[in-house]
Amino acid sequence: MTSEPAANLHDFAPAHLERVLRETVSPPFRVKQIAEWMHVHGAGSFDAMTNLPKDVRADLASRFTIAFPEVLERTEPAADRSQKYLFKLADGNRIESVYMPMGDRTSVCLSSQAGCAVGCTFCVTGFFGAGRNLTPSEMLGQFFTIQHEHQVPKELMNVVFMGMGEPLLNLEHLATTLDILYLTIAPKRITVSTAGIIPGIDELSRMSRRPNLAISINAPDRKRREEIMPITKKYPLDELIASLKRYPTERGREITAEYVLLAGYNDSPQDAVALAKLLRGVEAKVNAIPFNADPNLPDWMKRPSDAAIDRFVDTLVKSGMPVTVRRSKGREIAAACGQLRGKTEARSRASRQRELAESGVDRARGMKSAGVERDAVHRERR
Ligand code: SAH
Ligand code: SF4
């Protein structure tokens, strides 16, 4: 007979945790102590709770777990000290996160799913296909592990959900994770990036505490967006833009429009003008991300030259659109999420393409980057 695995208390929303602990421990002040160990200190074991009597810790450990995913691999720090982490989940799935020191502040890029069903053609995670939703403990585990290892004060941290997966297809667990992060990190320090799941964007917009929204636009028109982001067929570009216009933004918290620059495809000055026009009426700034190449991705996809990137950015600025560029020197450490796992995955591009051909899908699929360089900011002087 196999017994059910113990529940992970890091999967419980704060109010749920309190209820469960009230039924389990006494006196009542212990409940607060334990919650603080978990949510403020990010404890990954009951043994870490040193001000708790040993028998209380042992009793908790006999009923529950608070374990985080295990670190399988860390890349050597890149020139900018960024590091990529590969985690192993309890069921053997592997996910990636990135530590990105940026001046005074530090960002961590978290995965929300162990794969992605959205299938953008330029993204390695999409290339490897769907994976299950991550639980709150798996998302929080990425965050706390990196925060502990680098001893970053939480008030100096930004959190971005731009790793593997589509966070708005995992909204329930994302909401619990956000509620826990909000206990120590302000919503304006947290960004959720989406490929454009409109019902998810609307749901986020109704939350009383909202993270920043980043939207992967990646193309200046519907036709090209359908080519590289097939999800556009389900959630059309004009409806997506309308949902962005509905998203409430406070001062200084514009929406980030991410735009992967592919040489000769979407990087011309005309494309920049079209992008600025598309985003007219949206409180947005553009984050241009030069494409990050990977052997699993279609050969025609190339990073534009620096001159082409500059031309694109200058045209955007002239069109009145604030823009940051993610210069991706962090490529040395495989700065793209999905790449580190992809390197060791026993699945070749050829076999994936065969599979796609058999299933009637004739597109090669891509990978994704979470470029790690400090962004260069360009803004029109007004
Ligand atoms: N699923 C969400 C969040 C993860 S992808 C989303 O799509 O927004 C995070 C970012 O990486 C997206 O903006 C995506 O466009 C970008 N990206 C994916 N593959 C890339 C690649 N090969 N090179 C550069 N950026 C890439
Ligand atoms: Fe999924 Fe985002 Fe990659 Fe598209 S870019 S396949 S939505 S992870």
Side-chain angles (χ1 to χ4, degrees), residues 161 174 178 182 187-192 204 207 209-213 247-248 253:
F161 287 88
L174 177 74
L178 289 175
Y182 290 157
K188 67 175 180 199
R189 299 286 176 204
I190 302 179
T191 300
V192 171
L204 270 194
M207 289 179 174
R209 286 177 301 175
R210 279 180 304 279
N212 300 313
L213 183 66
Y247 195 79
R253 292 184 64 188

Side-chain angles (χ1 to χ4, degrees), residues 87-273:
F87 288 92
K88 186 175 169 195
L89 309 182
D91 62 1
N93 267 301
R94 289 174 305 156
I95 53 157
E96 292 181 20
S97 324
V98 192
Y99 161 71
M100 302 179 271
M102 297 169 158
D104 300 343
R105 304 199 61 88
T106 290
S107 288
V108 287
C109 174
L110 307 181
S111 290
S112 56
Q113 297 182 308
C116 189
V118 174
C120 306
T121 59
F122 50 82
C123 173
V124 163
T125 306
F127 169 80
F128 283 105
R132 71 167 169 82
N133 284 340
L134 299 189
T135 58
S137 60
E138 290 165 340
M139 291 187 263
L140 293 165
Q142 300 168 60
F143 169 77
F144 282 120
T145 303
I146 293 177
Q147 192 247 339
H148 286 166
E149 279 200 20
H150 294 274
Q151 299 273 305
V152 195
K154 284 216 228 48
E155 58 278 12
L156 296 181
M157 290 192 84
N158 294 344
V159 180
V160 296
F161 287 88
M162 288 184 191
M164 292 164 61
E166 171 47 55
L168 298 190
L169 292 178
N170 185 13
L171 244 177
E172 194 187 325
H173 291 168
L174 177 74
T176 302
T177 307
L178 289 175
D179 276 345
I180 293 169
L181 290 175
Y182 290 157
L183 296 170
T184 52
I185 298 188
K188 67 175 180 199
R189 299 286 176 204
I190 302 179
T191 300
V192 171
S193 173
T194 176
I197 312 296
I198 297 174
I201 295 173
D202 285 337
E203 202 160 318
L204 270 194
S205 76
R206 285 190 292 270
M207 289 179 174
S208 55
R209 286 177 301 175
R210 279 180 304 279
N212 300 313
L213 183 66
I215 171 80
S216 300
I217 287 285
N218 295 338
D221 56 54
R222 176 181 166 172
K223 182 174 163 288
R224 273 178 284 178
R225 198 168 192 270
E226 281 184 1
E227 277 169 11
I228 60 173
M229 299 185 74
I231 189 83
T232 312
K233 293 188 188 120
K234 185 160 183 196
Y235 299 116
L237 188 55
D238 50 348
E239 290 177 27
L240 175 60
I241 297 291
S243 77
L244 301 180
K245 289 182 181 159
R246 290 195 291 273
Y247 195 79
T249 46
E250 291 116 55
R251 240 172 94 78
R253 292 184 64 188
E254 317 107 306
I255 292 171
T256 303
E258 295 158 284
Y259 191 92
V260 176
L261 283 165
L262 290 157
Y265 184 73
N266 62 359
D267 64 340
S268 73
Q270 293 88 312
D271 295 331
V273 171

Side-chain angles (χ1 to χ4, degrees), residues 5 17 50 52 59 65 114 183 193 275 302 314 331 340 363:
L17 176 71
T50 43
L52 238 60
D59 181 45
T65 171
L183 296 170
S193 173
L275 178 63
K302 301 254 180 332
D314 288 348
R331 280 183 300 168
L340 190 57
R363 289 169 294 106

Side-chain angles (χ1 to χ4, degrees), residues 25-91:
V25 294
S26 61
F29 73 84
R30 294 263 177 252
V31 172
K32 220 169 147 228
Q33 264 180 335
I34 297 166
E36 189 168 313
W37 273 112
M38 291 173 56
H39 297 156
V40 179
H41 303 293
S45 80
F46 294 111
D47 277 340
M49 303 180 178
T50 43
N51 58 356
L52 238 60
K54 275 211 171 98
D55 59 328
V56 176
R57 286 186 248 162
D59 181 45
L60 284 167
S62 71
R63 301 160 189 256
F64 308 108
T65 171
I66 50 169
F68 290 140
E70 172 196 342
V71 178
L72 264 189
E73 200 181 320
R74 304 164 182 74
T75 57
E76 286 296 312
D80 61 3
R81 297 190 294 123
S82 58
Q83 264 181 296
K84 182 159 252 203
Y85 285 72
L86 185 66
F87 288 92
K88 186 175 169 195
L89 309 182
D91 62 1

Side-chain angles (χ1 to χ4, degrees), residues 271-326:
D271 295 331
V273 171
L275 178 63
K277 201 165 156 213
L278 180 70
L279 293 173
R280 204 165 288 157
V282 181
E283 285 286 322
K285 59 174 186 261
V286 170
N287 185 11
I289 314 170
F291 170 70
N292 238 305
D294 182 276
N296 288 310
L297 294 179
D299 293 331
W300 68 264
M301 292 189 177
K302 301 254 180 332
R303 179 189 205 274
S305 66
D306 286 346
I309 297 171
D310 289 345
R311 218 169 33 237
F312 184 87
V313 166
D314 288 348
T315 314
L316 264 185
V317 171
K318 282 200 197 101
S319 312
M321 184 53 72
V323 51
T324 57
V325 186
R326 205 183 285 177

